[in-house]
Amino acid sequence: SRGERVPVPPLFQLRDFLLVYNRMTELCFRHCVSNLNYRLLTGREETCLESCAGKLVHANHRLMRAYVALMPSLVQRRASDYEASAAQASQISATEGPAAAAT
């Protein structure tokens, strides 16, 4: 409908996407394009660029799948570490509290 709004990704996601895209473009261009004397790419350059970009996109997708799979365990570990450090800090302040009040 007319009133629907397309969700806009956060700015940091757009920045990260553009950084990856720019790196991929530069890497593939340097690897595949050897002659800048012509406006058009040669067939060989075009094939190389398609292959290079395809490999990098595929590798990026694999990395993202691995990251998404690992993320819950990383978040759980951080939460456990935070809870442990908070409990330790609470215990230390509880034991130091009466001694500090007596001085």
Side-chain angles (χ1 to χ4, degrees):
S1 77
R2 254 182 125 172
E4 286 184 29
R5 299 189 77 177
V6 176
V8 177
L11 199 53
F12 69 90
Q13 286 180 346
L14 179 60
R15 184 196 60 161
D16 290 347
F17 167 78
L18 290 174
L19 286 172
V20 169
Y21 178 80
N22 286 338
R23 280 190 214 125
M24 180 184 76
T25 302
E26 183 176 345
L27 180 73
C28 290
F29 183 84
R30 286 181 183 201
H31 178 72
C32 296
V33 178
S34 57
N35 188 348
L36 299 175
N37 293 327
Y38 304 102
R39 288 183 83 179
L40 300 176
L41 296 170
T42 65
R44 185 180 212 169
E45 289 171 333
E46 202 166 324
T47 301
C48 180
L49 286 169
E50 288 175 6
S51 175
C52 179
K55 285 179 184 178
L56 290 175
V57 167
H58 179 70
N60 188 44
H61 286 171
R62 287 183 66 190
L63 285 171
M64 290 309 295
R65 280 195 301 271
Y67 176 76
V68 167
L70 287 173
M71 196 59 186
S73 62
L74 293 173
V75 168
Q76 181 60 41
R77 186 182 316 156
R78 281 191 181 162
S80 298
D81 290 349
Y82 175 76
E83 289 171 0
S85 66
Q88 186 180 16
S90 175
Q91 189 177 30
I92 289 171
S93 67
T95 58
E96 291 178 350
T103 53

